[in-house]
Amino acid sequence: MNDNLKKKTNKTIGKNIRTFRHQHGWSQEDVAKRLGISIPAFSKIETGVTDINLSRLEQIADIYEIDVVQILSIDAEVEERQPSNLSIIQKRLNDREAEIVNLQRKVILLYEELHNAKTHII
């Protein structure tokens, strides 16, 4: 297998593993503990940096209660879109909340300026 294909395969498998982890609502730490490996080691699996052997794939499949074939299939990548869309919406919401806080600060400052101006006039 050439290097580019190998890297692409590792990344696809890693994305699928991450998708299944998100579906279970687990952190990388949760899965790493179940596998008996470090969080950085599991992160390397999810990012496709590390080659993954069949026994590790079987171990991961057992944890997620799925078949190894499901991890290897590209179909799981499609399911990853939901968390991505959710994170985009969450970021937009956070941005809007920050805008609201800034506007509230401006209103308070303007109110204080108006109050101080009235005090000086009297």
Side-chain angles (χ1 to χ4, degrees), residues 40-84:
F42 182 70
S43 178
K44 288 179 182 178
I45 291 171
E46 279 194 350
T47 56
V49 172
T50 298
D51 290 342
I52 186 166
N53 60 36
L54 185 56
S55 70
R56 180 68 76 199
L57 274 174
E58 289 172 340
Q59 195 179 12
I60 292 169
D62 286 344
I63 289 170
Y64 293 139
E65 297 177 346
I66 58 173
D67 294 323
V68 171
V69 174
Q70 288 177 271
I71 295 175
L72 297 175
S73 78
I74 297 175
D75 294 338
E77 282 187 67
V78 174
E79 296 178 31
E80 177 67 24
R81 291 185 189 146
Q82 288 179 339
S84 296

Side-chain angles (χ1 to χ4, degrees), residues 84-97:
S84 296
N85 289 339
L86 181 59
S87 25
I88 290 169
I89 292 169
Q90 184 66 43
K91 184 185 179 329
R92 286 182 185 163
L93 179 61
N94 290 340
D95 291 344
R96 295 303 171 260
E97 288 175 346

